[in-house]
Amino acid sequence: MLAMLSGTAPAIPEDWRRALSEELRQPYFARLAGFVASERRLGTVYPPEEEMFSALRLSPLARVKVLILGQDPYHGAGQAHGLAFSVRPGIRPPPSLKNIFRELKDDLGCRIPNNGDLAPWAAQGVLLLNAVLTVREGRPNSHKDKGWERFTDAVIRAVAEKERPVVFMLWGAYARKKARLLDPRRPRGPICPEDGGKRNSARRHVILGCAHPSPLSAFNGFFGSRPFSAANAALLKAGERPIDWQLPDI
């Protein structure tokens, strides 16, 4: 377990290990490793150990052009597999994911797929990152404030160090607070919907901030936000290939 967290095992790909090398040497990793290992001995923890870093494995750092930030993995049986908001094929999409599909249909006309596996997005450079990477079965937020947030903040900063603009899709108040981690050193004046579409010369990246897609907040700013078309417009402006958001049926 410690090897996986420290980056010496193949669970964390080499490109990410290089980018996070300083963070991976910090003492809190040993404490985090001990905590997660203890939790796995005491009960069921999601996702399985070999899938903790699926988001990094499926989206190499050099290919990341969109980051979607979640908060906590799904805590139901068979749901979490290491990608934010995603569930395994054959698992019924949870309410937040259903709302994402609804907005995607309204935004781009995409057909709602028969599954909730978002791996095809990850393969195109959409980093589906949760702020916390593990959870005890049936206990949401049970692994909050144990060290994962520090690690995933470092992941966000590594993405923000990329020279080319990246689209950060920050849904909900928790995610929007992470905007403070983005590197402002090279202003390029991207369009930032949080500023009413005005140019924000303090950042070179594009921030798409809106309400969270959960049923509690989707009607208060997520529905109608059109984040997928906005992300593709920003990618095209930066000379990048847009994301094919249409998920295939399985």
Side-chain angles (χ1 to χ4, degrees):
M1 177 63 189
L2 179 57
M4 296 186 75
L5 288 178
S6 65
T8 60
I12 300 180
E14 178 61 28
D15 60 335
W16 285 104
R17 291 205 300 269
R18 289 195 301 269
L20 301 168
S21 59
E22 291 297 324
E23 195 69 24
L24 295 173
R25 289 194 287 267
Q26 298 303 311
Y28 80 91
F29 264 116
R31 296 191 296 271
L32 175 60
F35 169 76
V36 176
S38 175
E39 286 286 278
R40 291 194 187 277
R41 288 193 297 269
L42 293 172
T44 301
V45 170
Y46 299 124
E49 187 170 16
E50 65 273 14
E51 293 183 319
M52 283 192 302
F53 302 108
S54 289
L56 305 184
R57 177 173 54 83
L58 294 178
S59 298
L61 178 57
R63 295 188 59 193
V64 172
K65 50 189 178 182
V66 177
L67 188 152
I68 297 178
L69 183 66
Q71 189 166 354
D72 200 44
Y74 295 125
H75 55 87
Q79 292 180 311
H81 64 131
L83 302 177
F85 295 105
S86 181
V87 292
R88 298 173 183 276
I91 298 297
R92 184 178 179 181
S96 291
L97 184 53
K98 288 182 179 179
N99 287 339
I100 290 171
F101 288 159
R102 173 177 167 177
E103 177 62 19
L104 183 57
K105 181 179 180 181
D106 291 344
D107 186 2
L108 291 175
C110 290
R111 171 184 42 79
I112 296 177
N114 66 358
N115 68 95
D117 184 5
L118 305 184
W121 292 356
Q124 297 178 72
V126 180
L127 180 60
L128 297 161
L129 181 69
N130 275 317
V132 175
L133 299 189
T134 55
V135 67
R136 176 82 80 92
E137 182 179 31
R139 293 178 56 187
N141 292 314
S142 52
H143 290 185
K144 179 182 177 183
D145 297 329
K146 302 299 182 181
W148 280 127
E149 294 92 341
R150 178 170 172 177
F151 173 75
T152 55
D153 279 0
V155 171
I156 294 170
R157 286 194 296 269
V159 174
E161 286 289 333
K162 289 169 65 73
E163 287 299 314
R164 296 189 65 83
V166 174
V167 179
F168 289 82
M169 300 172 75
L170 306 180
W171 297 338
Y174 178 88
R176 291 198 301 272
K177 290 178 181 178
K178 300 296 183 177
R180 62 181 170 76
L181 301 173
L182 306 188
D183 184 357
R185 293 177 306 166
R186 295 189 56 174
R188 298 192 183 184
I191 298 299
C192 180
E194 286 185 315
D195 295 333
K198 299 177 182 178
R199 291 192 178 276
N200 179 353
S201 61
R203 303 187 188 281
R204 71 175 181 272
H205 301 300
V206 176
I207 304 170
L208 302 178
C210 64
H212 194 275
S214 75
L216 296 176
S217 57
F219 285 97
N220 295 319
F222 180 74
F223 290 141
S225 63
R226 300 179 64 85
F228 306 102
S229 60
N232 278 354
L235 291 173
L236 286 169
K237 185 178 179 65
E240 299 281 357
R241 176 177 294 184
I243 303 298
D244 179 2
W245 296 104
Q246 178 63 70
L247 292 164
D249 287 335
I250 296 177

